[in-house]
């Protein structure tokens, strides 16, 4: 049971600022993902929570108690490492029971705890093996088991699934999520896989260059990205962005893109004639009945890809590159000129300079 | 195309075996000529009486070995050697592991420190011993000088007058020269331990001492076994240091010095050979004992 509060946290390596003032509150029992591109500081932030990295300034507290200067071993936090970090000289059972052993828990008590966790993870047949005699997925489970046996206040995961194959990743993703829900332990999960982040988390934190871009539920982040960075990071394929000019008259607000008039949601703060970026998700573009009128995008297709279930088409609207995601059945080929339409309430308008979301 | 495929096909079992034999043959012969044959001939000769001053080489069976057991000089040299082994192996291991742990912590200039550390090991044993002879010199030696100025002794001491002091001082000279090797072996083992194991252990609740006992030590046990056995073997073969610092003196005489004196000063070749065989067996047995022990104790906690 633990509520984690991070306030104005920074981290410098020499002169390089790696974490630049992060604020985050993780509620008791919540599952929060840290997501962002490589090098944005996800692992660093996680390791600061664990106590493996010093804090340059700011504070981290658990249940109201500041833990900046508490030793990692006294924080009661368990971490699952990317390459598992299993002790090679210990058996699976000994690996899982290591922290209990260090704490002086009686042998038979520890044994029972280990066996119970091993049972839930399907590790019972492997308890006497050395880690090197296990497959990647099994090692991953042992690493999880080692964290669970301790019954810590917080779980930290640093890209725990990145070394597994795609199928196993999906399976483990579901298992971790189910386990976390059952145990109700506050969890922070680092990943750069947006599918993992979106499917597993109660909320996700988008990091970029050591700063938080947005914190929200998966739906909030998908439906209302706070800025262009989030908009293009979340969603696959990435959101299309077009340069346009905002117009407003008495009854409507619209953006003109390459001469086409696209009705957008209300943008209260902007004046007529402002330059904006218009965001449209590839999956929100549908075939239009006509090739002119409001909310029409004329696309010239230059390449297509299909996965069977879905077809992606790449091409241009005017001189700007764009992508659409269609049903796999849709017949489309390069060279096609197609007209697409999009619903006004699915559109995103961003400030041209700052990239901040303007419409509500 | 077919020809190439033919060549790429795996060899039949027999051919493969022959090829393998071909590869090891040179090593086999070199080792045979330089190690196995001399060893066998030494063992062989130790059952005869080979003496250049006498005609004939009569077969004497275990006579040489029996005489060794009752020879007081040989007994003395064995006692000395075991004391040397105990002191030097402990010194080299404790100091070597300590140095390796420190070097492993150092972030900047590690390679320079390493170079400095290796220096004593690069010195020829004789040079090293001569340097220490000056240090131990009773009238102008540094050791007396330092202890005098610290007020720990009141007048210059003649260090080699007391047998145990002498054995200890000679052990220091040997350990000083051999410690770098232990340090390097342990350092290599330490550097092979992934950093995240320590991080995992930290989060699991290990303090510095438990970390060393439960994570570091088991993971360097392989290196430690190698380091220990080489220290032991070299300590059993200790010669230069004792010879240069105290000559043939019985108080500091090692088995190897005894071998040299029997074989080349008293010209009892077979007697010396028998003794050297025993020395070899002793060092093998002692190192085997702790290699096995370490292996058993640290594989799983
Ligand atoms: N010891 C260090 N000294 C200097 N810079 C460092 C150090 N460790 C990390 N960094 C820098 O800090 C930044 C953040 O690193 P971090 O490992 O947190 O990234 P990440 O978001 O986890 O990336 P990835 O997805 O690749 O794991 C990187 O730019 C990295 O170069
Ligand atoms: Mg990382």
């Amino acid at each position: 049971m633990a509520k984690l509060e991070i306030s104005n946290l920074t981290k410098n390596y020499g002169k390089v600022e790696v974490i630049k003032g992060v604020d985050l509150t993780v509620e008791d029992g919540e599952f929060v993902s840290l997501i962002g591109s490589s090098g944005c500081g996800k692992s660093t932030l996680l390791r600061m929570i664990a106590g493996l990295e010093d804090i340059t300034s700011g504070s981290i507290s658990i249940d109201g108690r500041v833990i900046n200067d508490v030793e990692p071993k006294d924080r009661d936090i368990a971490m699952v490492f990317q390459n598992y970090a299993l002790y090679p000289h210990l058996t699976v059972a000994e690996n899982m029971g290591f922290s209990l052993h260090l704490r002086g828990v009686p042998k038979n008590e520890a044994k029972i705890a280990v066996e119970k966790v091993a049972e839930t993870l399907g590790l019972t047949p492997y308890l006497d093996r050395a880690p090197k005699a296990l497959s990647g997925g099994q090692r991953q489970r042992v690493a999880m088991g080692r964290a669970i046996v301790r019954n810590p206040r917080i779980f930290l995961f640093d890209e725990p699934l990145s070394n597994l194959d795609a199928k196993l990743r999906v399976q483990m993703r579901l298992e971790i999520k189910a386990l976390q829900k059952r145990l109700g332990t506050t969890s922070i999960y680092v990943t750069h896989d947006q599918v993992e982040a979106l499917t597993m988390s109660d909320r996700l934190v988008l990091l970029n260059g050591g700063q938080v871009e947005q914190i929200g539920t998966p739906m909030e982040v998908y439906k209302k990205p706070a800025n262009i960075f989030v908009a293009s990071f979340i969603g696959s394929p990435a959101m299309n962005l077009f340069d346009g000019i905002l117009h407003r008259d008495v009854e409507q607000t619209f953006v003109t893109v390459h001469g086409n008039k696209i009705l957008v949601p209300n943008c209260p703060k902007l004046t007529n004639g402002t330059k904006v970026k218009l965001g449209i998700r590839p999956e929100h573009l549908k075939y239009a009945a006509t090739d002119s009128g409001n909310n029409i995008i004329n696309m010239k297709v230059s390449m297509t890809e299909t996965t069977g279930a879905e077809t992606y088409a790449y091409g241009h609207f005017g001189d700007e590159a764009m992508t659409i995601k269609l049903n796999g059945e849709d017949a489309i080929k390069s060279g096609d000129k197609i007209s697409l339409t999009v619903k006004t309430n699915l559109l995103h308008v961003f400030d041209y300079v700052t990239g901040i979301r303007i419409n509500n | 195309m077919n020809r190439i495929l033919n060549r790429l096909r795996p060899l039949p079992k027999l051919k493969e075996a022959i090829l393998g034999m071909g590869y090891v043959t040179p090593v086999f012969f070199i080792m045979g000529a330089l190690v196995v044959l001399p060893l066998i001939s030494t063992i062989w000769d130790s059952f005869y009486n080979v003496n250049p001053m006498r005609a004939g080489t009569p077969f004497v069976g275990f006579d040489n070995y029996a005489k060794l057991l009752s020879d007081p000089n040989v007994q003395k040299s064995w006692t000395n050697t075991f004391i040397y082994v105990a002191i030097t192996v402990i010194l080299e291991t404790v100091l070597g592991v300590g140095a390796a742990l420190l070097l492993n912590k150092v972030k900047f200039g590690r390679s320079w420190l390493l170079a400095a550390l290796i220096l004593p090991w690069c010195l020829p044993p004789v040079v090293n011993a001569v340097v220490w002879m000056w240090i131990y010199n009773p009238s102008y030696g540094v050791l007396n000088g330092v202890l005098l100025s610290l007020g720990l002794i009141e007048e210059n001491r003649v260090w080699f007058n007391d047998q145990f002091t002498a054995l200890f001082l000679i052990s220091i000279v040997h350990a000083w020269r051999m410690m770098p090797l232990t340090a390097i072996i342990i350092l290599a083992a330490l550097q092979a331990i992934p950093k995240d194991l320590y991080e995992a252990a930290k989060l699991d609740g290990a303090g510095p001492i438990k970390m060393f006992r439960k994570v570091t030590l088991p993971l360097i046990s392989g290196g430690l076994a190698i380091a220990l056995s080489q220290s032991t073997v070299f300590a059993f073969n200790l010669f230069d240091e004792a010879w240069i610092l105290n000559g043939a003196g019985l108080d500091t005489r090692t088995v190897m010095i005894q071998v040299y004196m029997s074989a080349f000063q008293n010209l009892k070749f077979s007697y010396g050979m028998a003794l050297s065989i025993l020395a070899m067996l002793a060092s093998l047995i002692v190192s085997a004992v702790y290699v096995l022990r370490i292996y058993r104790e640290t594989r799983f906690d």
Side-chain angles (χ1 to χ4, degrees):
Chain A
M1 298 295 104
K3 174 177 175 179
L4 178 77
E5 281 164 292
I6 294 175
S7 84
N8 202 12
L9 195 70
T10 68
K11 169 79 189 173
N12 298 358
Y13 283 116
K15 286 211 178 88
V16 189
E17 248 190 320
V18 178
I19 301 288
K20 303 168 186 163
V22 168
D23 291 294
L24 171 67
T25 302
V26 181
E27 297 298 334
D28 181 27
E30 202 178 13
F31 192 112
V32 168
S33 289
L34 302 179
I35 181 167
S37 46
S38 191
C40 69
K42 306 180 293 289
S43 299
T44 307
L45 182 54
L46 199 73
R47 293 164 55 80
M48 287 167 86
I49 298 170
L52 298 173
E53 300 282 352
D54 294 335
I55 292 167
T56 305
S57 73
S59 76
I60 300 178
S61 49
I62 299 180
D63 288 337
R65 179 171 162 240
V66 176
I67 56 160
N68 286 22
D69 298 320
V70 176
E71 286 291 315
K73 72 184 176 73
D74 301 323
R75 291 190 183 193
D76 201 6
I77 290 176
M79 181 157 165
V80 178
F81 292 80
Q82 181 169 3
N83 32 20
Y84 319 137
L86 300 177
Y87 310 112
H89 57 296
L90 302 179
T91 61
V92 167
E94 287 166 334
N95 261 285
M96 290 172 64
F98 192 64
S99 61
L100 302 181
H101 169 69
L102 288 178
R103 244 156 258 193
V105 173
K107 270 212 164 79
N108 46 352
E109 217 171 286
K111 188 161 177 269
I112 293 169
V114 167
E115 277 168 1
K116 208 170 114 204
V117 173
E119 175 105 44
T120 64
L121 290 169
L123 286 172
T124 312
Y126 310 110
L127 281 175
D128 291 324
R129 288 212 199 158
K132 67 166 185 282
L134 298 178
S135 72
Q138 289 161 346
R139 284 180 209 186
Q140 216 288 321
R141 262 170 233 236
V142 177
M144 294 267 305
R146 183 170 66 180
I148 294 168
V149 166
R150 292 175 45 183
N151 191 20
R153 289 196 289 178
I154 297 178
F155 283 139
L156 304 178
F157 300 88
D158 194 355
E159 309 200 26
L161 305 184
S162 59
N163 291 342
L164 304 181
D165 66 52
K167 203 168 157 194
L168 197 52
R169 207 142 62 196
V170 174
Q171 186 193 337
M172 286 306 295
R173 184 169 98 198
L174 294 169
E175 278 184 34
I176 292 178
K177 173 81 184 159
L179 249 162
Q180 193 270 343
K181 278 281 152 294
R182 197 162 55 77
L183 298 170
T185 309
T186 311
S187 300
I188 303 180
Y189 188 98
V190 163
T191 176
H192 56 235
D193 179 344
Q194 53 162 308
V195 180
E196 265 173 35
L198 290 167
T199 53
M200 298 174 80
S201 327
D202 297 320
R203 284 188 304 152
L204 30 85
V205 178
L206 276 109
L207 280 177
N208 181 26
Q211 277 170 322
V212 174
E213 295 281 353
Q214 187 171 6
I215 302 179
T217 64
M219 264 310 163
E220 281 166 3
V221 175
Y222 176 81
K223 286 193 166 162
K224 288 185 190 282
N227 50 46
I228 289 183
F229 174 83
V230 178
S232 39
F233 196 90
I234 296 292
S236 170
M239 183 186 283
N240 297 302
L241 290 166
F242 302 108
D243 291 355
I245 307 288
L246 186 98
H247 301 275
R248 63 151 41 103
D249 51 34
V250 201
E251 64 256 39
Q252 58 190 13
T253 309
F254 61 92
V255 172
T256 49
V257 182
H258 302 300
N260 291 13
K261 178 174 169 186
I262 295 165
L263 297 175
V264 297
N266 190 26
C267 299
K269 286 193 206 108
L270 282 197
T271 53
N272 209 358
T274 320
K275 214 171 166 191
V276 295
K277 288 255 185 204
L278 178 68
I280 310 177
R281 291 205 182 273
E283 56 271 34
H284 291 155
L285 284 160
K286 304 291 174 209
Y287 280 120
T290 61
D291 60 0
S292 60
N294 287 347
N295 287 27
I296 293 293
I297 303 280
N298 308 103
M299 177 180 182
K300 185 158 186 292
V301 179
S302 53
M303 204 177 83
T304 63
E305 276 177 354
T306 184
T307 64
E310 289 159 352
T311 295
Y312 305 121
Y314 305 93
H316 288 86
F317 175 32
D319 57 354
E320 289 177 292
M322 65 176 291
T323 308
I324 55 172
K325 183 164 154 186
L326 298 168
N327 199 312
E329 321 280 83
D330 292 335
I332 185 166
K333 58 182 191 306
S334 58
D336 284 357
K337 287 183 179 164
I338 54 177
S339 295
L340 301 157
T341 182
V342 60
K343 285 191 189 139
T344 293
N345 64 355
L346 296 176
L347 289 170
H348 309 268
V349 182
F350 301 103
D351 188 291
Y352 190 84
V353 182
T354 62
I356 292 171
R357 178 187 190 85
I358 296 161
N359 64 312
N360 29 34
Chain B
M1 182 69 192
N2 243 341
R3 282 236 306 277
I4 296 172
L5 280 183
N6 257 340
R7 281 200 217 156
L8 287 176
R9 261 215 315 262
L11 292 169
K13 272 266 150 55
L14 182 65
K15 264 195 169 168
E16 201 167 316
I18 292 173
L19 187 66
M21 295 298 280
Y23 285 138
V24 298
T25 311
V27 179
F28 192 77
F29 276 111
I30 293 172
M31 292 293 284
L34 299 179
V35 179
V36 181
L37 278 185
L39 184 62
I40 290 175
S41 91
T42 305
I43 296 173
W44 185 266
D45 284 349
S46 72
F47 296 118
Y48 289 82
N49 200 350
V50 184
N51 188 329
M53 305 306 272
R54 281 193 205 146
T57 55
F59 179 78
V60 296
F62 280 95
D63 245 26
N64 287 324
Y65 291 92
K67 272 192 223 148
L68 280 174
L69 288 182
S70 54
D71 184 334
N73 284 3
V74 170
Q75 282 166 4
K76 181 84 187 167
S77 71
W78 274 114
T79 318
N80 291 343
T81 298
F82 279 113
I83 293 172
Y84 283 130
V85 169
I87 299 176
T88 58
V89 169
I90 290 171
L91 278 181
E92 284 170 36
T93 307
V94 172
L95 297 179
V97 170
L101 286 172
L102 283 179
L103 274 178
N104 198 35
K105 280 256 158 18
V106 172
K107 294 214 173 65
F108 302 103
R110 184 191 286 166
S111 44
W112 290 103
L113 285 174
L114 203 58
L117 179 79
I118 289 185
L119 217 55
W121 184 66
C122 300
L123 288 178
V126 176
V127 175
N128 182 49
V130 169
V131 170
W132 283 88
M133 196 164 72
W134 292 332
I135 294 176
Y136 294 156
N137 185 291
S139 39
Y140 56 81
V142 177
L143 184 59
N144 269 322
V146 169
L147 291 181
L148 269 179
S149 68
L150 287 177
L152 291 173
I153 53 174
E154 262 126 48
E155 54 185 358
N156 277 353
R157 294 266 182 94
V158 182
W159 297 109
F160 285 77
N161 270 356
D162 175 62
Q163 193 208 350
F164 283 99
T165 313
L167 288 175
F168 186 68
L169 292 182
I170 289 173
S171 298
I172 287 181
V173 178
H174 182 78
W176 164 258
R177 181 165 68 85
M178 296 307 295
M179 181 271 270
L181 194 52
T182 298
I184 301 276
I185 294 170
I186 300 298
L187 183 61
L190 284 174
Q191 290 184 342
I193 302 177
K195 215 175 102 229
D196 55 6
L197 286 189
Y198 290 118
E199 296 182 337
K202 255 189 215 170
L203 290 174
D204 271 345
I209 294 171
K210 287 222 164 126
M211 187 90 84
F212 181 74
R213 276 269 300 112
K214 305 279 177 183
V215 181
T216 311
L217 202 53
L219 290 174
I220 60 169
S221 64
L224 204 56
I226 295 174
L228 278 173
S229 29
Q230 67 83 20
S231 317
T232 310
V233 171
F234 278 99
F236 268 106
N237 291 329
L238 195 145
F239 184 99
D240 310 57
E241 288 91 350
W243 185 258
I244 288 184
L245 286 163
N246 205 27
L250 190 57
D251 275 354
T252 60
R253 189 183 295 175
T254 68
V255 171
M256 281 306 134
I257 292 178
Q258 184 62 46
V259 169
Y260 170 74
M261 292 177 65
S262 305
F264 299 106
Q265 301 212 321
N266 304 338
L267 297 180
K268 294 190 211 157
F269 281 2
S270 305
Y271 195 61
M273 284 173 184
L275 185 53
S276 65
I277 295 294
L278 290 184
M280 186 193 78
L281 287 179
S283 67
L284 276 184
I285 291 168
V286 173
S287 26
V289 165
Y290 39 62
V291 167
L292 289 180
R293 243 200 104 131
I294 286 190
Y295 184 72
R296 217 173 297 136
E297 282 208 347
T298 55
R299 218 170 66 86
F300 293 129
D301 190 29

